[in-house]
Amino acid sequence: MKRKNFLIALTVCALTLPLAAKRLQVVTTYPYIANLVEHIGGERVKVHALAGGQWDPHTIMAKPSFIAKLRRADLLVINGAQLEIGWLPPLLNQANNPKVNVGSPGMLDLSRFVKLIDVPDSVSRAQGDIHPDGNPHYYLDPYNMLPLAEAIAAKLCALDRQGSGIYRRNLADFNGRLNVKLDEWRERMDPLRGSLVIEYHKNYDYLLRSYGLQLLGTVELLPGIPPTSKHIRDLEGKIAQAKVRLILQDIYNPDEAARHLSAKHGIPMIKLPHDVGAVREAEGIFSLFDEIVRRLRDE
Ligand SMILES: [Zn+2]
């Protein structure tokens, strides 16, 4: 009997030791999510982001290496709200990893933890081609980093109970640091409160709302649909009757129309990063928002 118990104990050790030593393999769709997971997971996770930070997040060109990464993943964390709808589902099919399929414990959709804006009342194309569930760019509001970090910590605790003390400690550190930065960013953004802006794509709506800026209109006609000359004329009609402070342009869409409006109407055009890695300065979550605030303030 004793020998049997000893053998069982040996077997349990053989099964658990390599697992304990192995880091949790996490795949994320975008770099900002990878950075959040690194903050919370620390040494216990190995994180790979599929998309590059400089890419248009709506139209990612898949590489064969994406499938290999998804095949090895213990956890997949996505932005959701249909931002990945055009490129991720076929990759998941090909990877055929039951751990990270939709509805599995190893799949985390971060959009479930925030309140989306511009959610259409009915199924229509009124929002354009690429925002059918509402605006998916909620991650460009630093206040949303709190619920996202909490959701990631809860998921890591559930998948790796042995690490839960570390994850909770890392979450507390992250929240503490974020709260200090949120106060700093609010103070620095305060002079822009009430300003009227134009943006190319509705990337920054959540940020504008949090800091009290108003959107006059977008350069593109609808999300994902480039401007027509009639749309630009209509927008110029609105500009003539208002005092627009800034034109916000992302780094991946064509900027000719924004440059034209900027030169003709004397409104500064600001190029803003939309993800970690979009510009050299945005190395992580904190420097991404540092850089957005710095550029908005023209410092
Ligand atoms: Zn979009």
Side-chain angles (χ1 to χ4, degrees):
M1 195 63 187
K2 269 187 182 169
R3 182 177 154 75
K4 192 181 169 193
N5 281 346
F6 177 68
L7 281 177
I8 289 170
L10 266 186
T11 313
V12 170
C13 277
L15 285 173
T16 53
L17 275 179
L19 284 177
K22 188 176 161 269
R23 293 200 285 172
L24 206 64
Q25 297 290 310
V26 185
V27 172
T28 74
T29 45
Y30 300 107
Y32 87 87
I33 307 175
N35 191 257
L36 278 174
V37 175
E38 280 164 359
H39 275 291
I40 308 303
E43 292 291 310
R44 293 189 74 84
V45 299
K46 181 98 183 84
V47 192
H48 303 275
L50 297 178
Q54 298 184 331
W55 303 357
D56 177 346
H58 312 84
T59 51
I60 300 299
M61 296 295 284
K63 296 180 186 170
S65 64
F66 290 6
I67 295 165
K69 283 174 184 158
L70 286 167
R71 209 165 266 161
R72 288 194 298 267
D74 300 309
L75 169 63
L76 169 65
V77 192
I78 69 168
N79 182 85
Q82 301 226 31
L83 191 54
E84 295 99 341
I85 197 73
W87 60 278
L88 186 62
L91 297 177
L92 280 175
N93 271 342
Q94 287 180 67
N96 195 24
N97 175 356
K99 279 199 244 178
V100 300
N101 277 339
V102 178
S104 309
M107 154 71 106
L108 178 65
D109 176 348
L110 294 178
S111 68
R112 291 179 48 242
F113 301 90
V114 294
K115 189 163 168 39
L116 297 179
I117 58 178
D118 293 342
V119 177
D121 295 334
S122 58
V123 179
S124 76
R125 311 305 282 176
Q127 301 292 321
D129 280 349
I130 54 175
H131 292 172
D133 278 0
N135 189 324
H137 303 291
Y138 59 81
Y139 51 93
L140 284 166
D141 177 354
Y143 288 93
N144 277 341
M145 294 301 117
L146 293 165
L148 300 193
E150 272 162 26
I152 288 168
K155 179 55 79 179
L156 290 176
C157 287
L159 291 181
D160 172 24
R161 294 174 75 86
Q162 284 182 321
S164 43
I166 294 172
Y167 300 138
R168 279 197 283 267
R169 213 162 37 244
N170 288 346
L171 175 66
D173 289 349
F174 180 82
N175 284 349
R177 195 174 157 198
L178 184 64
N179 280 320
V180 170
K181 292 301 285 186
L182 286 172
D183 285 347
E184 179 194 320
W185 293 325
R186 195 190 56 230
E187 213 166 282
R188 289 174 66 195
M189 287 294 288
D190 230 25
L192 291 176
R193 192 165 286 278
S195 299
L196 204 54
V197 302
I198 290 169
E199 58 184 342
Y200 182 91
H201 177 72
K202 291 171 85 63
N203 266 320
Y204 304 99
D205 287 28
Y206 292 84
L207 183 97
L208 300 180
R209 188 185 57 169
S210 277
Y211 293 107
L213 284 80
Q214 307 290 322
L215 182 66
L216 181 73
T218 58
V219 176
E220 65 180 359
L221 179 64
L222 285 168
I225 300 177
T228 58
S229 44
K230 179 185 179 304
H231 174 67
I232 293 296
R233 276 199 309 278
D234 290 349
L235 191 56
E236 290 193 273
K238 288 188 198 171
I239 291 171
Q241 293 170 29
K243 178 153 177 47
V244 180
R245 183 142 175 184
L246 298 168
I247 300 171
L248 314 182
Q249 173 76 36
D250 52 73
I251 63 153
Y252 59 85
N253 273 308
D255 66 0
E256 289 81 7
R259 277 196 282 119
H260 161 80
L261 291 172
S262 171
K264 188 169 171 186
H265 299 276
I267 308 165
M269 181 189 82
I270 309 276
K271 282 213 172 176
L272 291 180
H274 64 284
D275 202 336
V276 166
V279 297
R280 188 176 43 80
E281 296 88 345
E283 293 169 329
I285 288 293
F286 293 103
S287 51
L288 169 65
F289 290 111
D290 273 339
E291 189 58 17
I292 288 174
V293 171
R294 191 185 71 73
R295 290 182 183 215
L296 285 170
R297 288 293 315 275
D298 194 23
E299 287 165 345

